[in-house]
Amino acid sequence: MADVLANDRGTRHSLFPTGSEMQDSSLSSGVATPRTPNPQYRPAKSVPYELREHCLIYFEEGLYWQALNLLCSLTVAGGSTPSIKPAFVPPPHHLALISTLSVHPALTTRAKTTEMLEAANLATKYLGIVNRIVGPMNANVHEAFFFLGPGTASRRGVISRRTTGGNVSPDKEEFEIIDIELANISSLWARAEDFWHVVGWGFNCSVVHKKRWERWRMWLEYMVGVLEDDWWMRSSREQGDSLIVRYLNPEDRGNIGEKRIIRAIFADGSPRSLAEFKEVWSNETKERKTNNNAEVTKKIPVKINIEEGDYGDYMQSSEDELEDDVPAESVKDSHVNSDSTTAYTDGSLLLGGSAALQLRLRLTALLIQVAKELPDRFISYANLFDIYITHIRPLPLPTFSLFLSPPYLRFLQLGEQSDLVQYIASSFISSSAPRMNFDDIDQQVLEKCVLPWSANTTSIDDNAKLGACVETLLRLFNNVAGLNWTHTLHSYALMGIQAREGNATHRRKRKGEAGSGVGTENNRAWLEASGKRILGVLQMAKESRQVSHRF
């Protein structure tokens, strides 16, 4: 399969434009284009030494909200003036700590005070402010957001200012360590193996630990936005230095495995996924017990004594104060009972809901860009699709259909949407069907190579999934160029609907699944519904043709 797509990677003559073609084409109207970074990013400048000292004291005393409030005021100052003025931005190790504060359980799901929870919320807000005002490159996120690996105590290039006496220049930000565990051994960047560990764990939480997902969702939305902005604001010659490329192929550990990266993007809370992408902090999913659902109490944080190693009570929670985060549904139920009414009503639930599915597709779009532009730093476009197909094909019908629907595919460029759906359709379609040329699809190709065919098995699932691919291709084609309704087009579509429904005689059960009655009925309903939607797309094309002929 990879060879088929690889051979078609030459000059693109596809109906679906990509890259700069898409930016200039009116055909892209109504379809998401690549995320465009803010063209008016302000330059960044260092926070003055005295104010950095104030922030350090606040952080080390556990007064996180006060430190963040000061930084917010400094960064946004001067934004209302007509001229673009530099914005104050803290050093990278401050941003690294702030990122940890936004998601650490001690300030979120296990917060002892409302002030701690407010600090986590303000940390999330501040990270967004920095990215919006100065952008990822000016904020030096490459230095801030690198993973040290488990067991590493401090960030490289940073030593205690207390051990250097008067020899430290006030302007040397890199010599100012923040002497708290959350900035060092307990930081997100020291606890997680790498970015994909966090991605996998976050998506596991989206399925089975909903309260933790509330925090990881915000962190992932921020980080994916940073990765997108960092990629798109660079020229093609600079993209090799982008943060996403660094996460795909870290300098200190070599290639971390393409298959593991994509397993992280498809992490679904299954036992296998939970075993591979474990919690970042110990007992992370445990929550603080509350009496009669009372609010977290507001109290003044206990001061810490760095010299004596006393960090107060923020990092300490006795077992009797904590309770397990009960999953919304058990891992077993989330997979075996995927044919339930709820699962068939909202296919996104099996992958954590709509927000999680959108993030998965945004990461997919980034990987596709790297594979296209820098295959030597990652893998080829064709090989990437080969790995993706092993994860998309087995998805339950509702999730499969949603994943490949235009509202979710919009995160990909138009040519990539077409390629992905064609590629998946080719894995299902009958061996008797003529082979598609991925770069030269037009209405005639759709009529002969796609529309009239059934799946290459008698499975209801496979035939329904092929029907979903046919529907999506028709919708993409109609949205971009407009289908030219003809009796021939309608006949081929009807032929394929009848062929798939006639060929679908049994339902493939997943391992460990008992019974098949409800699942068979649901999947048969999906197959029949896909046929009706295909005819609906053609009806819209016919009506559009009739309207155009009136003028």
Side-chain angles (χ1 to χ4, degrees), residues 260-277:
R260 175 176 173 270
I261 289 169
I262 298 171
R263 286 197 301 271
I265 292 176
F266 281 90
D268 59 358
S270 64
R272 178 177 178 179
S273 185
L274 287 167
E276 182 171 17
F277 303 107

Side-chain angles (χ1 to χ4, degrees), residues 459-472:
S459 161
I460 300 174
D461 303 57
D462 290 352
N463 281 277
K465 288 175 179 178
L466 177 58
C469 292
V470 172
E471 177 195 347
T472 297

Side-chain angles (χ1 to χ4, degrees), residues 27-74:
L27 297 178
S28 65
S29 177
V31 182
T33 56
R35 178 183 173 107
T36 304
N38 179 6
Q40 296 295 319
Y41 284 139
R42 293 165 60 187
K45 65 178 179 180
S46 299
V47 174
Y49 176 73
E50 293 79 7
L51 294 176
R52 292 203 308 271
E53 282 292 301
H54 279 293
C55 290
L56 283 168
I57 293 170
Y58 284 143
F59 281 135
E60 292 180 347
E61 290 292 318
L63 303 175
Y64 306 128
W65 189 92
Q66 287 82 347
L68 290 163
N69 188 52
L70 173 58
L71 289 173
C72 281
S73 300
L74 291 170

